[in-house]
C-alpha cells in the first residue's frame, strides 16, 4: 500500500527528484545485496524466521521513513531497513511457496497467487490514495505497518 507512495511522500516533504531517485537506488541496492545472503540466513535460522525478520525490518523502515520530519538521518536508515527487509523477505517467501504448493497443481496455484498479487497491486494503491486524500500521510504509515 505504501511502497508506491513513499517517493511521493518524500517529494511532499520537500526532497528533490534527484534525491528521491538516489533514495530508491539505495533501497534497491540494499535489497539486491541481501537477496542471496537471505538464502544462507534461511539455512541457519529457518525460512519462517528469516521471512519474519524481513517483515520486521520493513515495518521499522516505514517507521523510520515516517520519522524523517523529526530527524533527516532517518531517510538513509529507512532505505537501508526497507532494502534489507525486502531482501530477507522475498527469497524465503518464494521458497516457502514452492515447498507448500502442490506439485500437481503448482500451475493453478501460481496463477491464483499471481491474480491475488495483481488484485492487491490495484486495491493497495487505491486504498492508500484514499487514506492520503482523506486523512493525509500521517495515517497511511500506521495502517501500512499494521498490515
Amino acid at each position: 500500500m505504501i511502497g508506491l507512495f513513499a517517493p511521493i511522500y518524500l517529494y511532499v516533504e520537500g526532497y528533490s527528484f534527484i534525491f528521491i531517485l538516489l533514495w530508491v537506488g539505495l533501497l534497491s541496492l540494499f535489497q539486491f545485496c541481501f537477496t542471496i545472503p537471505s538464502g544462507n540466513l534461511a539455512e541457519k535460522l529457518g525460512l519462517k524466521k528469516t521471512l519474519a525478520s524481513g517483515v520486521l525490518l520493513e515495518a521499522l523502515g516505514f517507521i523510520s521513513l515516517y520519522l524523517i520530519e523529526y530527524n533527516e538521518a532517518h531517510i538513509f536508515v529507512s532505505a537501508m531497513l526497507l532494502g534489507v527487509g525486502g531482501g530477507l523477505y522475498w527469497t524465503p517467501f518464494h521458497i516457502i511457496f514452492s515447498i507448500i504448493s502442490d506439485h500437481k497443481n503448482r500451475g493453478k496455484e501460481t496463477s491464483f497467487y499471481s491474480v491475488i498479487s495483481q488484485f492487491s497491486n490495484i486495491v493497495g494503491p487505491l486504498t492508500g490514495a484514499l487514506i492520503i486524500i482523506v486523512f493525509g500521510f500521517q495515517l497511511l504509515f500506521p495502517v501500512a505497518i499494521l498490515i
Side-chain angles (χ1 to χ4, degrees), residues 3-4 11 16 19 32 36 39 45 51 53 57 65-66 69 83 88 96 100 104 106 116 121 123 137 140 147:
L4 173 70
Y11 184 76
S16 70
F19 185 88
F32 173 78
I36 291 176
L45 293 179
L51 186 138
S53 299
L57 288 174
L65 187 61
Y66 180 72
E69 65 183 87
L88 293 178
I96 290 169
I100 65 172
K104 293 180 182 177
R106 189 164 291 149
I116 295 298
N121 288 339
V123 172
F137 278 105
L140 182 65
I147 291 177

Side-chain angles (χ1 to χ4, degrees), residues 5-16 20 23 65 68 75:
F5 295 106
I8 296 170
Y9 173 72
L10 293 174
Y11 184 76
V12 168
E13 289 295 312
Y15 292 93
S16 70
I20 295 167
W23 180 82
L65 187 61
I68 64 167
I75 189 110

Side-chain angles (χ1 to χ4, degrees), residues 40-61:
N40 297 332
L41 189 61
E43 286 180 358
K44 293 178 180 155
L45 293 179
L47 292 168
K48 291 178 185 177
K49 287 181 182 176
T50 304
L51 186 138
S53 299
V55 170
L56 177 64
L57 288 174
E58 285 195 334
L60 292 173

